[in-house]
């Protein structure tokens, strides 16, 4: 990795990026043609001016002067047209490539295991998908083609200079190695500076995203001052990173301008003497060379500047490709389309660990008959929610087997498996959209009439209708316009409207008020009939009517049975939990 970062330019990375141009070969070629036109038309103007001065003005002949004027105007017009087409098509190409990479990146991220998101910063992922993408677009709009254009222009200009007057050309060429050497050093240090800037941008995005999301916690615990100091420190590092690039620019460009001015002075002095005394250079040569020198040196300066843009884009591309190369996907190799489940669920000696060698589930085995309602209870960290995550294949088990209707869930396609299982989580996530879209998630097969019918069936239609706009009420980001109980009801309806074969309620009533809880309890009684249901809860009063209760502790099943049978066990784990909760309730 260290060796790779020392490279001024990563050729293999650049080749990989160029592969995304293949669908747009025509536009790419057209952009190159425009670049070539810019170089040739720009270099021809000083040459035509030299011819006009030496053959017309110096000779005091004006019969053909109008031809040179028209030719100059034509070259200028062609240069403008080439510039216009180049800017448009190069930018179009860059945005098209970025669109393709961004679509591929987002598609890739959608397939990641939950483990990846557990370990990754949301802010950094946003930076990869948004900010870094714009830097990649600049490679084509401001970097790659501009560098090629500048190099080509320098080559054409140098050729014209040698053709017109090789002695004056040597004066100019003597100073070129100085600029080239300075450019090489400049590029080396700028790459390091830009890598530092991109790192700090990612850190800044991640910090701000997390603090804005958790603003309520910061204010509740009066941590505004502490977090503000942290923000200032990150922002200061970001500023220092950018100041390094400014410092390098402030050194390089004055040096380049100084050498260019010295060269211009030398040409005027020596060329002027040759014109007046030695007659080895014409007046046209002198004027043309004063035009050629900026055309030769300015592109060299711009190459350094555009190379900065190219390097920033390459650093961004490297970061994006690292995400694309991340192999954290669930292996969706199943071939069975699960169109419907009867609902028989089997766990066979399931072992699982989020962190290697630290098992969360330690040989869990149980069976749920089709249509049964099963409750899973236990202390926090016992492994209850992990069972739900594994059933939906958010994570893959280490060993054992999970079967539905006798078929291993790994044999089923991921989409069909998850389509037949609905989950209501404790922490409800709602998008900044209407209630209707949050319920259907833009599923074209679920109509508004279906949603209204489902809402009436579970008794929350009146609550939704009371909101401004009803089902078209925008709940804003994360559903902040609704109470926690109301958000839970929306989540419950979202699960129910899909008509799942298996319904999972994961702490679904732990954070709602008594009225909302009663609504959910009534709805639960309705929708669990004839449907396999798994209920996870801390409050044991919500699971007493379950057909089976699974009691977990430290990743193992310690008891299993009905509410009544478990209460009969002397010193039973479930009995102790129930009595503790019952006594607390009585005390309240």
């Amino acid at each position: 990795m260290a060796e790779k970062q020392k490279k001024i330019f990563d050729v293999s990375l650049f080749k990989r990026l160029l592969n995304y141009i293949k669908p747009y070969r025509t536009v790419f070629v057209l952009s190159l043609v425009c670049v070539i036109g810019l170089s040739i038309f720009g270099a021809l103007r000083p040459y035509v001016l030299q011819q006009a001065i030496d053959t017309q003005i110096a000779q005091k002949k004006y019969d053909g002067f109008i031809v040179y004027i028209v030719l100059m105007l034509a070259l200028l017009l062609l240069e403008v047209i080439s510039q216009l087409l180049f800017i448009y098509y190069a930018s179009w190409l860059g945005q098209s490539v970025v669109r393709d990479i961004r679509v591929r990146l987002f598609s890739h991220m959608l397939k990641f295991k939950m483990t990846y998101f557990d370990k990754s910063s949301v802010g950094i992922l946003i930076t990869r998908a948004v900010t870094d993408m714009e830097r990649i677009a600049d490679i084509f709009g401001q970097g790659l083609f501009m560098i090629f254009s500048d190099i080509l222009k320098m080559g054409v200009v140098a050729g014209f200079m040698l053709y017109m007057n090789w002695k004056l050309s040597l004066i100019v060429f003597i100073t070129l190695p100085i600029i080239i050497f300075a450019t090489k050093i400049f590029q080396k240090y700028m790459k390091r500076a830009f890598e530092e800037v991109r790192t700090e941008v990612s850190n800044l995005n991640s910090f701000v995203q997390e603090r804005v999301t958790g603003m309520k916690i910061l204010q509740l615990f009066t941590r505004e001052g502490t977090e503000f100091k942290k923000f200032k420190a990150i922002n200061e590092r970001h500023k220092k990173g950018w100041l390094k690039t400014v410092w390098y620019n402030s050194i390089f460009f004055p040096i380049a301008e100084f050498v260019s001015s010295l060269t211009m002075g030398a040409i005027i002095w020596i060329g002027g003497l040759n014109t007046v005394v030695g007659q080895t250079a014409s007046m046209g040569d002198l004027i043309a060379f004063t035009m050629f020198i900026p055309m030769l040196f300015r592109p060299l300066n711009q190459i350094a500047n555009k190379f900065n843009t190219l390097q920033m884009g390459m650093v961004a591309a490297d970061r994006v490709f690292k995400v694309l190369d991340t192999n954290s996907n669930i292996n969706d190799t199943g071939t069975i389309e699960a169109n419907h489940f009867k609902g028989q669920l089997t766990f066979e000696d399931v072992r699982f660990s989020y962190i290697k060698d630290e098992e969360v589930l330690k040989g869990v085995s149980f069976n749920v008959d089709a249509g049964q309602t099963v409750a899973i209870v236990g202390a926090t960290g016992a492994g209850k929610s992990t069972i739900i995550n594994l059933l939906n294949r958010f994570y893959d088990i280490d060993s054992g087997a999970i079967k539905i209707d006798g078929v291993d869930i790994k044999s089923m396609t991921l989409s069909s498996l998850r389509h037949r299982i609905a989950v209501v989580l404790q922490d409800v996530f709602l998008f900044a959209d209407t209630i209707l879209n949050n319920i259907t998630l833009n599923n074209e097969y679920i109509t508004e009439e279906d949603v209204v019918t489902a809402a009436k069936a579970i008794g929350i239609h009146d609550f939704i209708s009371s909101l401004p706009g009803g089902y078209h009420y925008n709940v804003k980001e994360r559903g902040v316009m609704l109470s926690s109980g109301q958000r839970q009801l929306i989540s419950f309806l979202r699960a129910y409207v899909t008509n799942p074969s298996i319904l999972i309620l994961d702490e679904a009533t732990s954070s709602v008020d008594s009225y909302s809880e009663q609504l959910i309890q009534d709805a639960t009684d309705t929708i669990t009939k004839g449907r396999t249901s798994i209920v996870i809860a801390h409050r044991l009063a919500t699971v007493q009517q379950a057909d089976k209760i699974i009691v977990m502790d430290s990743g193992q099943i310690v008891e299993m049975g009905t509410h009544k049978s478990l209460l009969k066990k002397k010193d039973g784990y479930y009995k102790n939990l129930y009595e503790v909760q019952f006594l607390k309730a009585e005390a309240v």
Side-chain angles (χ1 to χ4, degrees):
M1 183 66 181
E3 182 180 349
K4 183 177 180 181
Q5 288 185 346
K6 290 179 182 178
K7 294 181 182 179
I8 293 179
F9 188 77
D10 192 330
V11 177
S12 61
L13 178 64
F14 187 66
K15 287 181 178 179
R16 182 175 180 183
L17 192 59
L18 288 182
N19 287 331
Y20 286 90
I21 295 179
K22 290 181 180 179
Y24 312 105
R25 290 188 184 92
T26 302
V27 176
F28 180 73
V29 171
L30 184 58
S31 299
L32 288 180
V33 170
C34 293
V35 166
I36 295 172
L38 277 172
S39 303
I40 295 176
F41 299 142
L44 276 173
R45 284 190 292 110
Y47 177 73
V48 172
L49 182 60
Q50 181 258 348
Q51 291 294 311
I53 292 173
D54 288 347
T55 62
Q56 298 292 308
I57 297 177
Q59 302 296 327
K60 296 183 179 181
K61 296 179 182 179
Y62 303 104
D63 52 324
F65 193 65
I66 190 66
V67 176
Y68 287 104
I69 293 176
V70 172
L71 187 56
M72 286 284 289
L73 289 174
L75 288 172
L76 184 62
L77 181 61
L78 289 172
E79 190 175 0
V80 169
I81 293 174
S82 297
Q83 181 80 11
L84 186 150
L85 291 176
F86 163 71
I87 292 173
Y88 175 78
Y89 284 114
S91 299
W92 183 93
L93 179 64
Q95 290 301 322
S96 298
V97 168
V98 163
R99 177 197 61 195
D100 294 345
I101 298 176
R102 184 182 281 129
V103 167
R104 184 177 176 185
L105 176 67
F106 191 71
S107 175
H108 189 60
M109 289 168 58
L110 287 173
K111 299 173 184 176
F112 280 159
K113 299 176 183 177
M114 288 298 109
T115 306
Y116 181 85
F117 298 103
D118 293 341
K119 299 178 180 178
S120 301
S121 165
V122 174
I124 289 177
L125 290 177
I126 291 173
T127 301
R128 299 293 174 268
V130 181
T131 309
D132 285 342
M133 288 298 178
E134 294 307 316
R135 300 289 78 77
I136 294 174
D138 291 341
I139 291 178
F140 301 96
Q142 302 177 29
L144 173 65
F145 289 114
M146 290 302 296
I147 290 175
F148 179 73
S149 173
D150 290 341
I151 292 176
L152 184 61
K153 182 178 289 187
M154 289 173 61
V156 173
V157 167
F160 271 101
M161 292 171 71
L162 286 170
Y163 173 74
M164 293 168 59
N165 193 313
W166 67 270
K167 293 181 179 179
L168 291 180
S169 299
L170 288 180
I171 298 173
V172 178
F173 296 161
I174 288 173
T175 59
L176 281 180
I178 301 174
I179 300 295
I180 293 173
F181 177 75
T183 301
K184 186 176 180 180
I185 299 298
F186 175 67
Q187 291 168 354
K188 179 181 177 181
Y189 283 95
M190 284 299 286
K191 184 175 189 294
R192 294 177 183 174
F194 280 133
E195 286 176 343
E196 184 177 337
V197 168
R198 296 309 308 151
T199 298
E200 294 306 328
V201 167
S202 297
N203 292 337
L204 194 62
N205 285 345
S206 178
F207 184 89
V208 172
Q209 189 273 334
E210 288 181 349
R211 270 57 183 184
V212 171
T213 302
M215 187 61 68
K216 182 181 290 185
I217 298 297
L218 297 184
Q219 294 183 356
L220 280 173
F221 290 89
T222 62
R223 305 304 296 168
E224 298 95 330
T226 302
E227 296 304 317
F228 180 67
K229 289 179 181 178
K230 291 181 180 178
F231 175 79
K232 286 180 67 177
I234 296 175
N235 204 34
E236 182 67 21
R237 292 198 300 269
H238 178 257
K239 183 196 77 172
K240 288 180 178 178
W242 270 112
L243 285 180
K244 282 185 181 180
T245 67
V246 174
W247 171 244
Y248 297 148
N249 277 299
S250 66
I251 294 175
F252 172 76
F253 287 106
I255 291 176
E257 192 65 32
F258 178 71
V259 174
S260 176
S261 299
L262 285 179
T263 306
M264 181 74 76
I267 287 294
I268 293 175
W269 178 44
I270 298 174
L273 288 176
N274 288 340
T275 301
V276 175
V277 179
Q279 298 297 318
T280 57
S282 68
M283 182 63 68
D285 289 340
L286 187 61
I287 293 176
F289 267 72
T290 59
M291 293 180 65
F292 275 137
I293 289 173
M295 294 176 69
L296 185 67
F297 280 87
R298 191 174 294 117
L300 191 57
N301 297 346
Q302 289 177 351
I303 285 176
N305 196 27
K306 298 308 177 183
F307 202 88
N308 296 339
T309 301
L310 180 61
Q311 285 182 323
M312 286 189 70
M314 293 294 286
V315 171
D318 184 49
R319 295 176 185 272
V320 170
F321 286 143
K322 283 179 180 176
V323 179
L324 282 171
D325 292 338
T326 300
N327 185 17
S328 184
N329 297 357
I330 293 289
N331 293 322
D332 189 10
T333 57
T335 57
I336 299 175
E337 289 289 335
N339 296 320
H340 178 73
F341 292 146
K342 292 179 181 179
Q344 183 186 13
L345 178 62
T346 305
F347 271 60
E348 297 178 353
D349 193 27
V350 173
R351 295 183 178 273
F352 173 75
S353 54
Y354 293 103
I355 302 174
K356 190 175 181 181
D357 298 327
E358 295 183 18
E359 283 191 334
V360 178
L361 295 185
K362 305 169 183 177
V364 172
S365 299
F366 63 86
N367 183 71
V368 180
D369 293 333
Q372 276 191 327
T373 296
V374 176
I376 304 177
V377 301
T380 301
K384 304 184 301 297
S385 295
T386 299
I387 289 177
I388 306 309
N389 289 332
L390 297 180
L391 182 59
N392 282 279
R393 287 199 71 194
F394 291 138
Y395 305 86
D396 273 335
I397 61 177
D398 297 336
S399 63
I402 302 175
K403 298 180 180 179
I404 298 178
D405 295 343
V407 179
D408 195 312
I409 60 173
K410 291 184 178 180
S411 301
M412 306 173 188
T413 62
L414 268 178
S415 59
S416 66
L417 170 68
R418 293 173 179 170
H419 184 71
R420 304 313 311 165
I421 302 174
V423 183
V424 179
L425 299 171
Q426 176 183 0
D427 183 19
V428 178
F429 186 93
L430 297 181
F431 297 94
D433 206 335
T434 64
I435 288 180
L436 179 63
N437 288 339
N438 267 289
I439 293 170
T440 65
L441 297 178
N442 296 306
N443 187 334
E444 60 182 5
Y445 297 106
I446 303 176
T447 65
E448 184 172 352
E449 290 74 17
D450 295 332
V451 174
V452 173
T453 301
K456 289 179 178 178
I458 63 175
I460 65 172
H461 172 70
D462 292 340
F463 141 64
I464 296 176
S465 299
S466 67
L467 297 171
Y471 289 86
H472 297 279
Y473 178 64
N474 194 310
V475 300
K476 305 301 181 182
E477 187 175 0
R478 299 184 69 87
V480 295
M481 303 304 292
L482 302 177
S483 68
S484 59
Q486 289 172 331
R487 291 196 296 270
Q488 195 65 265
L489 289 169
I490 297 301
S491 177
F492 201 87
L493 180 56
R494 178 163 62 191
Y496 174 53
V497 78
T498 61
N499 190 28
S501 299
I502 297 175
L503 177 68
I504 299 171
L505 306 179
D506 187 359
E507 304 286 359
T509 61
S510 62
S511 61
V512 300
D513 54 76
S514 57
Y515 174 73
S516 298
E517 181 179 358
Q518 186 58 50
L519 283 177
I520 290 178
Q521 288 295 336
D522 293 342
T524 301
D525 294 338
T526 301
I527 69 174
T528 55
K529 291 180 180 178
R531 178 183 284 118
T532 301
S533 302
I534 299 176
V535 180
I536 296 177
H538 277 111
R539 289 189 283 183
L540 303 185
T542 63
V543 301
Q544 294 180 23
Q545 302 303 318
D547 298 310
K548 182 187 296 184
I549 297 175
I550 298 174
V551 186
M552 296 193 66
D553 182 41
S554 301
Q556 294 177 308
I557 296 177
V558 293
E559 291 177 355
M560 191 182 305
T562 63
H563 173 69
K564 291 182 179 180
S565 66
L566 291 174
L567 286 181
K568 292 178 181 179
K569 289 187 176 183
K570 186 177 181 180
D571 296 326
Y573 191 96
Y574 178 83
K575 182 180 180 181
N576 290 335
L577 283 176
Y578 182 79
E579 288 178 348
V580 169
Q581 288 194 11
F582 183 73
L583 289 173
K584 284 184 178 179
E586 276 196 337
V588 173

